[in-house]
Amino acid sequence: MSKLLVINASSTPCEKSYTKGLTDLFLKYYQELNPHDEVIYLNLNNEKMAGITLTTANAVTYWNQEDAHKYIQQLKDVDKVVVTSPMNNFNISGLMKNYLDHVLLANETFSYKYSKKGEAIGLLPHLKVQIITTQGAPFGWYTWGNHTENLKGTWEFVGAKVNTPILLAGTKLPPLNQMSPSEAALTLEEQIKKGAREF
Ligand SMILES: Cc1cc2nc3c(=O)[nH]c(=O)nc-3n(C[C@H](O)[C@H](O)[C@H](O)COP(=O)(O)O)c2cc1C
């Protein structure tokens, strides 16, 4: 039995969120295949730390027990993480950025010790990660913004094995913007089923 952490980083209400629609379909297939796994939901909208941006004023206390170490421990305690985020201004959402700023901590989730120049050693090699992303524009419109690759590289940096990401692109354009989140998710049904099987 595995422990699965599902991180929601969209500020859209759940019932209207394309990212949530995609995640729900992925979890449906995953849970059909792994009915005894424990699923832990982490909605960053409800976590104080995800609203805290690193500034000069809080730089000394930013990585404290409640806001950072508790969440790092959670990553050490689970086997798999479903990391989800919409694109916000060509990047991951601010909620996800604040979460990552808290958990990407040297000597806790990665280390430069004993590594070759420029390379870090990831300290979370036990983790498997499935990335689920959405964006309003078709893939490739913004050559300078690829939040999906950003997340993939970030989780590989901490040593995780990252499954092929699932990206729903073009949610602001027809035909996806005329569909509900659950209908839109079905346009990637085969890819989602494959991802769930391989996770
Ligand atoms: C504040 C904000 C910024 C956004 N910036 C972008 C962007 O830079 N590029 C893009 O393609 N879509 C952008 N979008 C559209 C969202 O990525 C898209 O609607 C996504 O599917 C929303 O997912 P959600 O419904 O789960 O929140 C933005 C949406 C919001 C609310």
Side-chain angles (χ1 to χ4, degrees), residues 4-180:
L4 182 80
L5 177 67
V6 182
I7 306 177
N8 171 15
S10 167
S11 56
T12 304
C14 282
E15 64 282 4
K16 292 185 182 163
S17 166
Y18 284 97
T19 318
K20 177 80 168 42
L22 217 54
T23 307
D24 285 349
L25 192 60
F26 178 85
L27 287 176
K28 172 176 175 285
Y29 293 128
Y30 180 84
Q31 287 184 295
E32 278 174 15
L33 296 168
N34 304 278
H36 302 299
D37 279 11
E38 182 184 349
V39 181
I40 302 160
Y41 293 94
L42 182 64
N43 184 343
L44 294 181
N45 291 279
N46 302 331
E47 305 300 315
K48 180 172 72 68
M49 63 88 108
I52 305 174
T53 297
L54 179 61
T55 66
T56 311
N58 65 21
V60 175
T61 56
Y62 194 75
W63 291 276
N64 62 54
Q65 177 58 32
E66 268 307 291
D67 296 330
H69 291 283
K70 186 174 94 180
Y71 295 91
I72 291 169
Q73 191 57 48
Q74 185 174 47
L75 290 174
K76 292 180 177 173
D77 289 343
V78 300
D79 308 289
K80 302 180 184 182
V81 190
V82 179
V83 177
T84 80
S85 179
M87 182 183 277
N88 280 173
N89 296 322
F90 324 111
N91 217 316
I92 56 174
S93 70
L95 289 168
M96 181 56 77
K97 181 69 168 71
N98 284 335
Y99 172 82
L100 289 172
D101 280 349
H102 279 98
V103 299
L104 295 174
L105 183 57
N107 302 321
E108 288 288 338
T109 49
F110 68 93
S111 169
Y112 283 113
K113 280 181 197 160
Y114 315 120
S115 67
K116 283 187 268 170
K117 191 180 172 203
E119 279 181 13
I121 295 169
L123 300 180
L124 301 176
H126 67 288
L127 280 184
K128 277 183 89 174
V129 168
Q130 176 65 57
I131 290 162
I132 294 180
T133 48
T134 63
Q135 61 185 63
F139 180 73
W141 267 22
Y142 309 118
T143 52
W144 66 95
N146 188 335
H147 66 320
T148 310
E149 274 302 303
N150 176 307
L151 284 173
K152 183 169 183 286
T154 301
W155 287 91
E156 284 173 347
F157 177 81
V158 296
K161 182 180 177 302
V162 182
N163 259 19
T164 304
I166 297 168
L167 163 69
L168 181 66
T171 61
K172 286 288 188 197
L173 297 171
L176 294 179
N177 68 348
Q178 289 151 9
M179 298 180 189
S180 68

Side-chain angles (χ1 to χ4, degrees), residues 176-195:
L176 294 179
N177 68 348
Q178 289 151 9
M179 298 180 189
S180 68
S182 54
E183 287 168 343
L186 284 171
T187 63
L188 294 186
E189 189 174 24
E190 287 315 309
Q191 195 185 332
I192 291 171
K193 275 185 184 170
K194 184 168 180 286

